[in-house]
Amino acid sequence: MSRTPANSSRVVVIGAGIVGCSLADELTARGWTEVTVLEQGPLPAPGGSTSHAPGLVFQTGPSKTMTEFAAYTVRKFGSLEVDGLPCFNPVGGLEVATTEARWADLHRKAGLAASWGVRGELLTPQQCKQLWPMLDETKLYGGFHTADDGLARAVLACRAQIARAESRGARFLERHTVTGIEREDGRVTGVVTDRGTFPADHVVSAAGFWGPVIGAMAGVDVPLLPLAHQYATTEPLPELDGVNDPHGGTSGAWGSPRASEAERGGGAESLGDEASKPILRFQDRDLYFREHTDRIGIGSYAHRPMPVDPFTLPAFDEAPVMPSSLPFTEDDFAPSWQDSVGLLPALGASRVSEGFNGVFSFTPDGMPVLGESRELRGFWLAEAVWVTHSAGVAKAVAEWMTDGRPAIDIHECDLYRFEDAQRSPAYIADRGAQSFIEVYDVIHPLQPMEQPRPLRTSPFYPRQQELGAYFLEGGGWERPHWYEANAPLAEGLRLPERDAWSARYWSPIAAAEARATRERVALYDMTPLRRLEVTGPGALAFLQRMTSNNLAKKPGAVTYTLLLDETGGIRSDLTVARLAPDRFQVGANSGSDLDWLLRHAPDEGVQVRDITSGTCCIGVWGPLARDLVQPLTRDDFSHQAFGYFKARHTYLGHVPVTAMRLSYVGELGWELYTTADMGLRLWDTLWEAGREHGVIAAGRSAFNSLRLEKGYRAWGHDMTTEHNPYEAGVGFAVRPAKGDFLGRDALEGRSEETAARKLSCLTLDDPDAVVLGKEPVYVDGVPAGYVTSAAYGYTLGRGIAYAWLPAAAAAPGTAVHIEYFGEKIPATVAQEPLFDPQMERIRR
């Protein structure tokens, strides 16, 4: 990834909201001082989402990355002030539960907080009322209090960062409307405005809900949907009279009840920021509350989705209030007002004084969109970012631009994480609206989207339906997790009784499918796993430079290898099959892998293309796999003739197949690839031949259990760019002696012995216990790590969890505890792999 030297980089940031201002501050702090920020509205409150944001900063969530973004935002804004006014008020946060399901979820959230290092505490209803006296505590099961959360004064934080960035050489130009993006030879060269053109080596779109408009000028898709969100404030409340009076001593220097519009920026901030109580979230009714001096502000996600076309929004001077503030729709808010009165009865004597529908951005998966366009080099996106995560995102993007990579893993936010099928305007509209609806929902980690489905199906889909497949979804693909046809096999199996959470999207049939795989043979649909083809006279040299293992092997060899970044962090893990001297098939993880290879591929001698959609794959695994496959081919599939990690082209019946001797379930078998048009014939051929061997179709639920018994890592869960191979236990895939490769220098001197932390295998002491992932792990009573992947090991008869732990705690035999919904579950660090450590079952 080419970078312009810092002393000559010209950066134009489009948008002076909280993200653009934060990014200018972060870039200039790193020595990139030729930074121009263009804003179509007036400064410091130009009329975008920042100008009306209520400023809530809650750190805890299921995404470690988003939590770290929010934690940095808290630290940074907590250090900023303007004219003696702080940019962050650490009032804390309080989430309350009025249902058993939410109370259980708050226990889970407390575990997430412990995993990610956020201070949090579960409270009784009475303790909640002490923090918020207006609460009707009889409605509550309890609450979750996070003392370090709070309120960001976004416009004030913009002012503080503008001043710092300008002192280092940046300039902020208001009233400049962007009308075009200039480019030459695939690189951005400048930004055209109604007041002139600004040359640039890098352009960053931080335009918020105008992102799609800027993206269209650059020819870059920006997959976000602007939606309106209701915010209202009450009349003055006697219960708050004097409580937040700055002269009364409760809010100190937090500001006067009414500041000027230039300082506040209109919207929620113009209502007065004084607050002493925690931000209150009533997620069972999609509501949140915060104080504004003697009033309460109420935000609602309970209403119908209200999509907004960013191409039709008025300019600042044409908007009645500002472009991001639309008229309040009282009828939509009426049910939320009744719910608010139910939780805070004192509101019954009040009413809504004023309100607005504020516009902000949602993506198909609810995450930001970050990164540099490959199609237009030097054009960056920092979009769909809320105030909550703004400073953290800006830091990551600034690191990415100046150092070539962010310090933390951001694969969940990467621009290229979306598949082509997920980039249609219809998909973005459907899923963006659903992301709005689900903001405060209790979302299970396996919960699939409901629409549009089915979107992507393998050629085997009709047969899977006939077998009663239970489909979940990933990357738009329908993925069988188990098959109802196998229900009779589960009868009589003794399995732990599951709680309601771990029983969701699970069936005891998975245990039967795992058992059948270990005892007989099973067919697994591996089609959704991404397949790339790298060809050309320079293919070997290119892949040797890009990956960590030695690929200079004869055609027919398959190699497990890693994609590393410049610091030795694991970008992905791959299986690379050399099918011919100049042709390789690469098993990858995501669209970001394709993007990475395309960015680094030389202009001549190498072609990289995605072949996933035109191909399909069946994993045939189990001790009877050879008995099933061998009669279908004239080629010798014996261990001597077709060894482990080997590949060959053959025919199974009438079907041309690329067979690879691989197994991610720890059993004998092959991955069998063919073209999509032959997929159904391949399935039927294998199914018919397997009848006499008791073949079954098996799903992802059994697969995950089997792969953890074998200790196989899942990139993005067990290891990311934040980890090096020796910490993650995949150092065997690094071959420094092969010569230079990306990340090699950074790994020099590192080894498993020098690793300060390790990905560790844990077994749960109680054979009936189950955990799911992301739970905190306690060593000597103190949070020391977190679970990455977990499943019940049906072969072993107990739960398995992989977790990151300090090296001192990673020794086999170490006793730990995993916190699951508030319960401390004893576990023990185990020697891995747990199943077949001598690899006898695979190599036979």
Side-chain angles (χ1 to χ4, degrees):
M1 193 180 302
S2 61
R3 298 188 297 277
T4 307
N7 60 3
S8 61
S9 293
R10 298 168 301 175
V11 181
V12 174
V13 178
I14 301 173
I18 192 63
V19 178
C21 293
S22 298
L23 180 58
D25 182 47
E26 295 288 340
L27 284 171
T28 55
R30 288 165 173 79
W32 283 28
T33 56
E34 290 191 52
V35 176
T36 300
V37 182
L38 302 175
E39 175 51 59
Q40 64 180 340
L43 294 175
S49 301
T50 299
S51 303
H52 72 244
L56 281 64
V57 180
F58 276 90
Q59 299 173 82
T60 306
S63 168
K64 179 174 178 286
T65 297
M66 298 296 277
T67 297
E68 292 186 355
F69 284 160
Y72 182 78
T73 301
V74 167
R75 294 195 301 272
K76 183 174 185 179
F77 290 178
S79 69
L80 299 176
E81 62 176 39
V82 175
D83 299 332
L85 298 176
C87 295
F88 185 76
N89 183 5
V91 294
L94 176 64
E95 299 176 50
V96 294
T98 59
T99 64
E100 289 186 11
R102 183 68 62 178
W103 184 227
D105 187 59
L106 292 187
H107 281 77
R108 184 175 69 94
K109 189 161 286 186
L112 290 170
S115 290
W116 313 145
V118 177
R119 284 201 303 158
E121 180 184 13
L122 291 167
L123 303 182
T124 65
Q126 293 72 30
Q127 290 172 315
C128 292
K129 188 173 180 64
Q130 289 174 4
L131 291 176
W132 258 85
M134 293 172 63
L135 278 169
D136 180 357
E137 78 277 17
T138 65
K139 303 281 183 66
L140 305 183
Y141 283 81
F144 176 55
H145 180 228
T146 45
D148 298 322
D149 291 340
L151 295 165
R153 294 179 73 184
V155 173
L156 207 63
C158 285
R159 288 181 56 194
Q161 293 178 104
I162 287 172
R164 294 206 312 193
E166 286 181 333
S167 72
R168 304 182 190 116
R171 57 178 176 166
F172 289 75
L173 303 178
E174 62 180 3
R175 302 288 187 174
H176 281 64
T177 299
V178 174
T179 59
I181 305 295
E182 292 189 332
R183 68 195 90 173
E184 184 177 343
D185 296 330
R187 282 204 64 89
V188 70
T189 59
V191 178
V192 182
T193 76
D194 58 351
R195 299 175 66 177
T197 298
F198 297 83
D201 302 301
H202 299 272
V203 173
V204 184
S205 178
F209 53 77
W210 282 289
V213 178
I214 302 301
M217 297 178 191
V220 175
D221 290 335
V222 181
L224 68 81
L225 176 71
L227 288 140
H229 160 59
Q230 291 200 298
Y231 193 83
T233 51
T234 68
E235 294 179 324
L237 296 166
E239 290 81 2
L240 298 180
D241 187 26
V243 172
N244 299 310
D245 184 347
H247 303 293
T250 61
S251 58
W254 185 240
S256 59
R258 292 280 166 174
S260 70
E261 286 296 303
E263 178 186 46
R264 299 287 188 179
E269 290 206 10
S270 70
L271 300 167
D273 281 334
E274 294 65 38
S276 60
K277 298 178 182 61
I279 309 160
L280 178 64
R281 291 206 286 184
F282 181 21
Q283 293 171 302
D284 287 323
R285 290 295 184 269
D286 297 309
L287 293 167
Y288 63 82
F289 308 86
R290 58 151 294 180
E291 296 169 287
H292 292 287
T293 312
D294 57 352
R295 306 162 186 247
I296 290 179
I298 306 169
S300 172
Y301 294 99
H303 54 82
R304 60 189 169 89
M306 303 177 188
V308 176
D309 184 353
F311 291 88
T312 62
L313 283 170
F316 186 93
D317 294 323
E318 299 170 357
V321 180
M322 55 182 166
S324 64
S325 182
L326 305 181
F328 188 61
T329 50
E330 295 182 7
D331 290 346
D332 289 308
F333 193 75
S336 292
W337 176 255
Q338 294 304 316
D339 289 334
S340 299
V341 172
L343 184 70
L344 306 172
L347 296 183
S350 183
R351 66 181 181 87
V352 173
S353 173
E354 53 187 317
F356 63 97
N357 291 359
V359 183
F360 64 143
S361 303
F362 285 83
T363 60
D365 60 4
M367 303 291 282
V369 178
L370 311 178
E372 182 188 18
S373 168
R374 185 179 68 252
E375 294 78 14
L376 182 59
R377 301 294 181 93
F379 184 82
W380 296 76
L381 296 180
E383 298 291 12
V385 182
W386 296 3
V387 171
T388 305
H389 311 105
S390 55
V393 164
K395 175 177 179 287
V397 173
E399 291 168 340
W400 206 344
M401 295 175 69
T402 59
D403 300 331
R405 70 182 292 274
I408 66 172
D409 169 60
I410 53 84
H411 80 273
E412 295 173 314
C413 311
D414 189 276
L415 166 63
Y416 290 94
R417 72 186 183 273
F418 293 114
E419 305 285 341
D420 287 345
Q422 298 172 308
R423 290 182 168 274
S424 70
Y427 186 93
I428 293 167
D430 289 347
R431 293 302 306 157
Q434 189 63 28
S435 292
F436 176 90
I437 293 170
E438 294 175 351
V439 164
Y440 279 172
D441 286 358
V442 178
I443 302 295
H444 193 278
L446 293 176
Q447 183 170 327
M449 67 179 187
E450 295 180 3
Q451 295 295 333
R453 288 182 66 191
L455 184 63
R456 306 176 78 187
T457 59
S458 80
F460 321 129
Y461 186 67
R463 299 294 182 263
Q464 294 166 341
Q465 289 180 301
E466 292 168 5
L467 293 170
Y470 186 90
F471 293 100
L472 297 181
E473 178 271 340
W477 287 101
E478 295 296 317
R479 299 186 177 196
H481 274 243
W482 65 84
Y483 294 83
E484 288 297 328
N486 296 325
L489 302 178
E491 295 176 3
L493 292 180
R494 185 203 172 276
L495 297 171
E497 184 175 343
R498 294 208 170 202
D499 64 277
W501 187 251
S502 64
R504 289 184 69 185
Y505 308 111
W506 174 85
S507 169
I509 296 172
E513 292 177 358
R515 181 175 179 178
T517 306
R518 292 278 188 242
E519 295 179 353
R520 299 192 305 278
V521 61
L523 306 184
Y524 288 81
D525 181 2
M526 306 302 289
T527 302
L529 300 184
R530 185 175 293 271
R531 291 170 294 286
L532 311 177
E533 185 179 70
V534 181
T535 58
L540 175 60
F542 169 63
L543 289 173
Q544 283 284 74
R545 187 175 81 252
M546 294 302 299
T547 69
S548 63
N549 212 333
N550 187 10
L551 306 181
K553 302 171 183 176
K554 295 179 180 179
V558 183
T559 306
Y560 177 82
T561 188
L562 307 172
L563 283 181
L564 305 177
D565 62 22
E566 292 90 341
T567 68
I570 304 171
R571 283 194 56 93
S572 188
D573 63 342
L574 314 173
T575 52
V576 179
R578 191 175 192 183
L579 302 180
D582 295 341
R583 183 163 68 93
F584 296 81
Q585 181 172 310
V586 179
N589 285 297
S590 72
S592 297
D593 295 347
L594 174 63
D595 175 58
W596 183 254
L597 293 176
L598 287 172
R599 286 179 188 275
H600 289 84
D603 294 333
E604 297 180 357
V606 177
Q607 295 80 45
V608 181
R609 68 187 186 103
D610 190 331
I611 61 172
T612 308
S613 297
T615 57
C616 58
C617 178
I618 298 177
V620 181
W621 292 313
L624 301 182
R626 184 176 287 116
D627 297 318
L628 189 160
V629 174
Q630 182 62 81
L632 299 174
T633 178
R634 295 180 180 181
D635 290 324
D636 188 352
F637 269 52
S638 69
H639 181 63
Q640 294 74 22
F642 196 161
Y644 192 52
F645 266 81
K646 299 296 181 183
R648 66 169 54 168
H649 182 78
T650 187
Y651 288 87
L652 297 182
H654 298 91
V655 182
V657 165
T658 298
M660 297 186 194
R661 178 91 183 272
L662 305 175
S663 173
Y664 286 92
V665 299
E667 294 292 338
L668 170 69
W670 288 265
E671 292 180 358
L672 303 174
Y673 298 88
T674 192
T675 52
D677 62 316
M678 298 296 294
L680 198 58
R681 186 60 177 263
L682 175 61
W683 179 282
D684 290 344
T685 299
L686 294 170
W687 188 259
E688 185 60 33
R691 285 181 181 275
E692 63 178 291
H693 305 294
V695 70
I696 67 161
R700 298 291 297 182
S701 187
F703 176 90
N704 194 51
S705 171
L706 296 169
R707 70 107 180 160
L708 284 178
E709 290 181 336
K710 194 60 183 168
Y712 292 136
R713 277 67 169 141
W715 185 85
H717 296 276
D718 302 317
M719 55 191 186
T720 68
T721 55
E722 296 181 10
H723 312 109
N724 72 53
Y726 304 111
E727 296 171 326
V730 289
F732 63 86
V734 179
R735 292 289 187 269
K738 77 167 185 175
D740 188 39
F741 58 87
L742 193 62
R744 179 180 184 270
D745 293 344
L747 294 181
E748 188 173 352
R750 299 188 187 185
S751 65
E752 291 188 13
E753 289 69 29
T754 63
R757 58 183 176 177
K758 291 187 176 182
L759 183 63
S760 307
C761 177
L762 312 179
T763 55
L764 279 55
D765 294 354
D766 181 353
D768 290 338
V770 176
V771 299
L772 295 185
K774 300 189 177 181
E775 297 89 357
V777 181
Y778 289 74
V779 178
D780 297 328
V782 178
Y786 59 91
V787 174
T788 59
S789 295
Y792 193 81
Y794 301 113
T795 312
L796 303 174
R798 67 181 60 248
I800 304 167
Y802 271 76
W804 281 101
L805 292 175
T814 303
V816 301
H817 286 84
I818 301 173
E819 183 178 308
Y820 180 73
F821 286 90
E823 179 186 358
K824 296 290 199 317
I825 297 177
T828 303
V829 178
Q831 185 72 45
E832 60 169 337
L834 298 170
F835 179 79
D836 189 24
Q838 304 303 317
M839 301 285 284
E840 294 173 351
R841 297 176 70 92
I842 290 178
R843 302 178 186 273
R844 62 180 177 182

